[in-house]
Amino acid sequence: MADPIGEFRSTRAAWFMSKTADGEIQTTTSYEGTADGFGAVFGTLTRTQPLAEAGASSGTCSYAGLAVNDDGSIIGAIGEGTWERIGSEMRSSVSLLVELSDGSKLRSEGVVDHTDQSWNGKIYET
């Protein structure tokens, strides 16, 4: 694996569960924090699962967010990836491929910790 180009640190700002039109459970978690090279970051991690898989230990997820750079410019981000629960802990590893509005692409590898309400990790070039 290549060396990371930076790190991100965020705190959960909100957590919602809802029912989709298809009868699935959708978990939407909003985070805010900072990321090296991007300044302030605000984003939402979304997981959608069939009701029968509510206790699953892995699955797919998506991300949408914005970074507000130190100079005031804004970069949008969308991503797709996977999550996997870490043992029986209230933590999950999250891996995302992220496309930025400036045309660049990144990979993020992090850990969502439900106990301390954080999502922290590393950023890599793709």
Side-chain angles (χ1 to χ4, degrees):
M1 184 180 296
D3 290 332
I5 60 169
E7 296 184 1
F8 65 92
R9 298 145 303 278
S10 59
T11 302
R12 184 171 71 206
W15 194 13
F16 303 98
M17 273 66 117
S18 59
K19 177 185 156 210
T20 68
D22 295 332
E24 295 183 314
I25 294 175
Q26 187 169 68
T27 304
T28 305
T29 312
S30 296
Y31 293 91
E32 54 187 56
T34 59
D36 296 340
F38 293 97
V41 291
F42 307 89
T44 301
L45 186 66
T46 303
R47 298 182 333 188
T48 304
Q49 300 168 272
L51 179 60
E53 296 176 18
S57 59
S58 64
T60 60
C61 57
S62 63
Y63 175 80
L66 294 173
V68 181
N69 294 309
D70 293 335
D71 67 2
S73 62
I74 295 174
I75 295 178
I78 57 172
E80 299 290 330
T82 59
W83 65 272
E84 184 173 350
R85 188 169 179 182
I86 301 170
S88 61
E89 299 176 40
M90 292 302 296
R91 299 182 326 140
S92 298
S93 60
V94 176
S95 177
L96 294 166
L97 292 176
V98 180
E99 182 176 348
L100 303 179
S101 58
D102 67 3
S104 61
K105 295 182 181 182
L106 302 172
R107 179 172 52 89
S108 77
E109 301 287 340
V111 173
V112 170
D113 188 323
H114 298 289
T115 302
D116 73 7
Q117 303 180 24
S118 67
W119 181 18
N120 302 313
K122 299 188 183 305
I123 305 164
Y124 300 87
E125 289 182 328
T126 60

